Amino acid sequence: MPKTEILEQSRPIFPFAAIVGQEEMKLSLILNVIDPKIGGVMIMGDRGTGKSTTVRALVDLLPEIKVVVNDPFNSDPDDPELMSEEVRERLQKKEQLDVTMRRITMVDLPLGATEDRVCGTIDIEKALTEGVKAFEPGLLAKANRGILYVDEVNLLDDHLVDVLLDSAASGWNTVEREGISISHPARFILVGSGNPEEGELRPQLLDRFGMHAQIGTVKDANLRVKIVEQRASFDESPVDFRKNYNASQEELTLKLGRARDLLKKVEMDYDFRVKISQICSELNVDGLRGDIVTNRASKALTAFEGRVQVTPEDIFRVIPLCLRHRLRKDPLESIDSGDKVRDMFKKVFGYQS
């Protein structure tokens, strides 16, 4: 039996195409697959709303990337910024690199993980006796050029938050011990989920997420029944349930692949870019990350819909997801941050939804 079939039967994943509702969450994840430089997504919502299920369902849709064979860092053979030191040295020596295509990986970061497990460890004894840099890669190495998923991210220990902040900012992970230092690329899409009742995120980490999706419990009774029935069908016979969605999954995968190819051709009017920056300025958004992410997300949505020219409607759909978590919190204000962003958009663009 092929390895993929064994995996399918031992640990089937709920299909992404079967997930009902939660459009903000699904759109945010899809846009990050199309353009990883958007910078990830933070999903906040009530317990039992399918946050983890949806993120893990994304694995089936991830495209393939070119990697160096037997390299623990998923090095890109064409981009020195995404290569390990070893691969770069081999290139400088004019060695022939074996290359293969591999699906983008999704790595789970457990809440109780140690810093060594996340960053990797250096074997000091081997380094001293044999004179080689003996490095055991961690989760950040495995997540390079992939997705790093942290469930209940608001409960993550502060020292691991600092590690993630450093890696997310620089794109590199450095491990130092007893005078020995090893660095490797750690460029990943950071995806986090959490329940706001269990605590707020540190502002520094929240700002690292490109997008912020808020999800709530479905109120419509008919929709709730449909979700319950789907879950029961999946639990009863996961393989058969997945077969019913094979066509939808393949269609979505192809659409994502086309969008990634089309993204380079998508254009946005200069006037729209000015208005996006005006909105960020009017809302007192710190820094320029909000402007950059909104531009990228608008283009990714345009590509996903098979077009090459960004419209105001595209921007209107993504701008609350890109800015709501960057607004300064006013405890006396009752308006939802997403609605505040939409109101400012309508004012600046003169737009009626």
Side-chain angles (χ1 to χ4, degrees):
M1 187 182 290
K3 189 178 178 181
T4 50
E5 282 185 35
I6 294 171
L7 186 66
E8 183 85 6
Q9 291 183 10
S10 62
R11 202 177 50 174
I13 299 168
F14 195 87
F16 193 91
I19 293 167
V20 177
Q22 311 302 11
E23 299 304 325
E24 271 198 10
M25 171 168 56
K26 291 193 291 190
L27 180 63
S28 300
L29 291 168
I30 281 170
L31 297 185
N32 271 276
V33 172
I34 295 169
D35 184 1
K37 289 182 179 175
I38 285 172
V41 55
M42 176 68 213
I43 302 162
M44 284 299 241
D46 306 328
R47 291 181 295 275
T49 46
K51 299 186 292 292
S52 301
T53 300
T54 307
V55 175
R56 294 194 169 101
L58 194 66
V59 171
D60 281 341
L61 307 179
L62 297 176
E64 292 188 331
I65 52 173
K66 199 189 291 186
V67 297
V68 176
V69 174
N70 295 328
D71 180 76
F73 309 103
N74 301 317
S75 290
D76 186 337
D78 303 319
D79 186 351
E81 279 295 305
L82 296 171
M83 285 180 193
S84 63
E85 288 181 9
E86 184 187 342
V87 170
R88 203 181 289 117
E89 286 168 6
R90 286 172 61 191
L91 264 186
Q92 287 169 352
K93 293 175 184 173
K94 308 291 184 188
E95 282 187 35
Q96 185 69 34
L97 297 176
D98 291 328
V99 173
T100 186
M101 297 298 288
R102 186 187 300 160
R103 182 167 278 190
I104 288 176
T105 53
M106 180 181 287
V107 177
D108 273 285
L109 180 71
L111 285 179
T114 63
E115 196 168 334
D116 282 353
R117 178 77 184 98
V118 175
C119 299
T121 55
I122 298 171
D123 188 335
I124 295 297
E125 187 178 343
K126 192 171 183 180
L128 294 175
T129 55
E130 299 179 26
V132 293
K133 287 185 176 180
F135 180 63
E136 182 65 37
L139 294 177
L140 290 180
K142 193 177 176 185
N144 186 41
R145 302 178 67 209
I147 296 174
L148 185 66
Y149 175 49
V150 190
D151 195 9
E152 307 296 347
V153 66
N154 43 345
L155 302 180
L156 197 64
D157 285 344
D158 279 353
H159 73 282
L160 288 182
V161 169
D162 292 334
V163 166
L164 287 183
L165 284 172
D166 287 344
S167 296
S170 65
W172 286 81
N173 173 45
T174 302
V175 181
E176 294 185 352
R177 193 173 162 206
E178 308 294 339
I180 298 171
S181 177
I182 290 178
S183 294
H184 68 78
R187 302 274 179 91
F188 48 81
I189 302 170
L190 188 59
V191 176
S193 63
N195 180 352
E197 292 176 4
E198 292 168 350
E200 291 294 321
L201 268 185
R202 278 169 56 180
Q204 309 96 299
L205 184 59
L206 190 57
D207 187 55
R208 286 292 164 194
F209 290 98
M211 305 179 81
H212 186 287
Q214 284 182 347
I215 57 173
T217 304
V218 175
K219 302 296 183 190
D220 182 82
N222 292 320
L223 208 52
R224 289 173 77 114
V225 169
K226 185 178 180 183
I227 294 167
V228 170
E229 287 176 346
Q230 279 195 326
R231 188 71 223 188
S233 299
F234 177 76
D235 289 340
E236 187 178 324
S237 180
V239 176
D240 289 339
F241 184 86
R242 282 177 59 84
K243 283 177 183 172
N244 295 331
Y245 286 91
N246 278 348
S248 305
Q249 290 279 100
E250 284 174 18
E251 187 182 335
L252 188 50
T253 303
L254 287 171
K255 193 176 177 183
L256 282 170
R258 286 195 294 267
R260 282 168 67 97
D261 294 336
L262 187 63
L263 186 61
K264 296 186 282 289
K265 299 176 184 174
V266 175
E267 294 180 352
M268 182 189 289
D269 288 350
Y270 178 75
D271 181 50
F272 291 170
R273 297 202 296 272
V274 170
K275 284 179 175 175
I276 287 170
S277 290
Q278 187 182 339
I279 292 167
C280 293
S281 178
E282 294 273 355
L283 291 170
N284 292 318
V285 173
D286 291 331
L288 294 172
R289 199 170 276 134
D291 308 50
I292 294 167
V293 170
T294 305
N295 277 270
R296 285 193 171 280
S298 302
K299 288 182 175 182
L301 176 58
T302 304
F304 183 60
E305 298 194 337
R307 294 178 281 106
V308 292
Q309 197 68 42
V310 175
T311 66
E313 287 80 7
D314 298 323
I315 302 168
F316 182 71
R317 282 178 65 187
V318 302
I319 199 166
L321 304 171
C322 301
L323 298 185
R324 62 153 60 103
H325 58 303
R326 305 180 196 280
L327 304 189
R328 293 176 185 173
K329 289 199 167 31
D330 183 350
L332 300 177
E333 203 165 44
S334 58
I335 185 170
D336 174 73
S337 54
D339 290 336
K340 192 174 179 182
V341 174
R342 290 185 192 96
D343 289 345
M344 184 57 71
F345 175 92
K346 290 174 183 176
K347 178 183 166 187
V348 172
F349 272 79
Y351 177 80
Q352 298 296 320
S353 59

